[in-house]
Amino acid sequence: MSPVLDVPRQLAEPAERGTLTVGHAVVRKIAQHAADQVPGTARDGRKGAKAKVGGLDNDVDLALDLALRYPAPVRAVVGDVRAKVTEEVELLTGYRVKTLAVTVSALLPDVAPRVR
């Protein structure tokens, strides 16, 4: 073990330790990943959900654009997406999701159509 690691040290008071800022690009990636994990969502080609992030301080506004599997209970899947994205963003970033708008831009069948 390194002698540096053996030295006990006192932590500074929380107000003196500095700050941590999570960028909107990170929040966007977390939201997209969380949305893609919900059963019933689909990838349009290689692209999954797309997200836009806005907001100030510890409040974020999210807008998601995603595709769903067809046939799927749209309202139920979107509700699950809202819950999952809100939970993940708030858990991982400490930000509060103020608004979350979801646009379903495509319904994709489970099976690719046959070409004749």
Side-chain angles (χ1 to χ4, degrees):
M1 216 188 246
S2 169
V4 175
L5 297 175
D6 293 335
V7 178
R9 66 177 208 193
Q10 297 258 333
L11 290 176
E13 292 298 317
E16 297 174 4
R17 290 184 199 159
T19 61
L20 172 65
T21 303
V22 179
H24 283 183
V26 174
V27 176
R28 179 177 50 83
K29 290 286 191 181
I30 291 169
Q32 290 173 170
H33 179 73
D36 287 339
Q37 301 307 306
V38 174
T41 59
R43 298 179 77 79
D44 188 6
R46 292 187 309 156
K47 298 178 185 175
K50 297 176 204 95
K52 292 183 182 178
V53 181
L56 298 171
D57 299 326
N58 287 333
D59 294 333
V60 292
D61 300 306
L62 297 171
L64 287 174
D65 186 324
L66 51 89
L68 300 182
R69 297 210 182 281
Y70 178 82
V74 174
R75 212 175 257 183
V77 173
V78 169
D80 293 345
V81 167
R82 286 178 184 277
K84 179 72 172 174
V85 169
T86 300
E87 177 186 1
E88 289 292 312
V89 168
E90 290 180 351
L91 176 70
L92 296 175
T93 67
Y95 292 155
R96 183 177 75 89
V97 177
K98 185 176 168 187
T99 61
L100 174 53
V102 179
T103 301
V104 177
S105 59
L107 295 174
L108 303 174
D110 283 333
V111 180
R114 291 179 49 192
V115 178
R116 290 187 152 208

